[in-house]
Amino acid sequence: MFKLRLCFTPSILNLLVMLLSTPVPSLFSLTLENPTRTAPKPSNPVIMIPGDGGSQLMAKLNKTTAVHFLCTYTTDYYFTLWLNLELLAPYFIDCTVDNLRLVYNPASKKTSNSPGVKTALPQFGDPDGVEFLDPSEIFVSSYYAPLGEALRAAGYENNKNLFGTAYDFRKAPDEMQEYFTNLTKLIESSYAQNGKPALVVAHSLGNMVFTYFLSTMPQDWKDKYVAGYVAVAAPLGGAAKLFRLYVSGDALGERFISALSVRRMQRTFPSSAFLIPYAGPHFWDDDFPFVITPKRNYSISNLPTLAKDIGFPYLYDMRKNTEHLVNVDKVHPGVPVYCVHGWNISTPLQFNYTEFSFPDEQPEVAFSNGDGTVNDKSLQGCDLWSGSKWKFEHIYLNQAEHLEILDDDRFISYVKKILKV
């Protein structure tokens, strides 16, 4: 683990006080086992795969330029780049955006860090890297922590039979070869250590990553090493809100973040292009208008035109590089599947811009059903895996929001039921 150095200015402390005073429904509302009871013996080891923005990411700087005078040029240590609430404050966020953005090479079809930025991930396999997004473990950065706490109360131990697999969420599976090598070794070593195959729990983008991984593995390997796969809030057909992200940016629901400020970074992530909605009989028509403007509408079929009109031509290139990686309507994961997601929450579907708001202002939004992030059509992609020889369950949790589902007692109870703990 890298030694992290965090400092908090008065303005940042004020920001954190504001966040700490904001009610967060049911955060850590876990009903833990009675400590006087003997915890049941853990069954299968559990491996947690995070989604978009769900891994800690550290950086070391050696830059010759910066976006403004508040930005640090060089560091002789790794610091927390994501998620560090201090670095999301006004003005500082511009530094974060410049450090997090990627540079696309059209010749190699690969991305690299912003010049002068070297990134690193937490120790592979350690749950800490995915349980809290901020290493200070401030509660507003909780991610897989509620599930981790519940499993430890049931007898699980970190790095013995409970693991987390942080990865660079900015990238798509075609640039994640090192991650897949490490994931293979971890799954095999957890089997050797525990004598049982692993239950893999994946959230959001992590489902697309793990589904691709499984498609590359031999069936006899999957039969031996993977007991099952819990697909949590899986965007198997993409998510409509990615269209808005590329056009005018996505402030992630935070009022103090400028969507335009983060758009410069978000557009450069291949994982964003990977999550643009997919066309097909079970998903959307290729000419369904996700973006509506007075001059023309934009759909899956005219992505090259959208890329040109928003001034980011690499959008279409990155999509073409990744759209073939997951074919949920053709390839079964080859393991027992337990799909679970939220339902009955208004979820962005179409984005209506005026002549003057496109592409730099926020649009009027039309909604569909879903979990607040992933639309109903995409969530129901899990049903494409039913009717096979492998066990299949599909659980709808009413009003379970895309991220908050990880802190939902119904979800945690469901995982424990699968594990029989």
Side-chain angles (χ1 to χ4, degrees), residues 202-368:
H203 177 249
S204 192
L205 171 65
N207 290 283
M208 306 290 272
V209 171
F210 187 57
T211 300
Y212 170 78
F213 168 78
L214 288 176
S215 73
T216 68
M217 302 304 290
Q219 187 59 51
D220 58 350
W221 186 93
K222 292 184 280 190
D223 292 341
K224 179 177 181 178
Y225 293 111
V226 182
Y229 159 36
V230 183
V232 190
L236 298 178
K241 66 183 296 183
L242 271 298
F243 273 96
R244 179 179 59 186
L245 178 149
Y246 270 103
V247 175
S248 51
D250 187 340
L252 308 175
E254 299 296 339
R255 289 179 302 225
F256 63 91
I257 292 179
S258 163
L260 283 184
S261 294
V262 296
R263 181 182 70 177
R264 177 172 178 249
M265 165 190 76
Q266 292 170 331
R267 285 180 171 181
T268 67
F269 295 175
S271 60
S272 297
F274 186 46
L275 289 174
I276 287 174
Y278 288 80
H282 303 285
F283 299 124
W284 285 277
D285 293 336
D286 63 2
D287 59 354
F288 178 84
F290 290 97
V291 177
I292 300 169
T293 76
K295 291 185 177 180
R296 65 167 56 92
N297 297 335
Y298 299 94
S299 63
I300 299 168
S301 64
N302 64 350
L303 274 178
T305 304
L306 176 64
K308 177 182 177 182
D309 290 351
I310 65 174
F312 189 71
Y314 294 146
L315 160 60
Y316 185 62
D317 290 348
M318 289 192 290
R319 172 59 174 216
K320 293 297 290 182
N321 296 342
T322 59
E323 65 181 0
H324 64 283
L325 298 177
V326 174
N327 296 298
V328 297
D329 57 338
K330 298 177 182 178
V331 181
H332 191 283
V335 298
V337 175
Y338 307 87
C339 291
V340 55
H341 58 76
W343 201 247
N344 290 330
I345 298 178
S346 295
T347 303
L349 175 64
Q350 290 179 300
F351 309 97
N352 197 325
Y353 292 86
T354 68
E355 178 182 357
F356 303 103
S357 65
F358 181 85
D360 295 331
E361 296 180 15
Q362 291 301 299
E364 293 291 325
V365 180
F367 296 87
S368 72

Side-chain angles (χ1 to χ4, degrees), residues 46-50 123-130 144 159 162-166 179 186:
V46 174
I47 295 175
M48 301 180 291
I49 298 181
Q123 178 180 336
F124 194 83
D126 192 335
D128 288 348
V130 300
Y144 266 120
N159 303 303
L162 179 61
F163 305 94
T165 61
Y179 172 78
L186 178 65

Side-chain angles (χ1 to χ4, degrees), residues 32-39 153:
L32 301 180
E33 300 285 346
N34 186 329
T36 63
R37 291 178 55 191
T38 301

Side-chain angles (χ1 to χ4, degrees), residues 2-3 5 59-63 72-79:
F2 295 101
K3 183 177 180 181
R5 305 183 186 182
K60 187 176 182 180
L61 305 181
N62 185 22
K63 305 178 73 171
T72 300
Y73 284 77
T74 61
T75 62
D76 57 3
Y77 54 87
Y78 279 90
F79 66 95

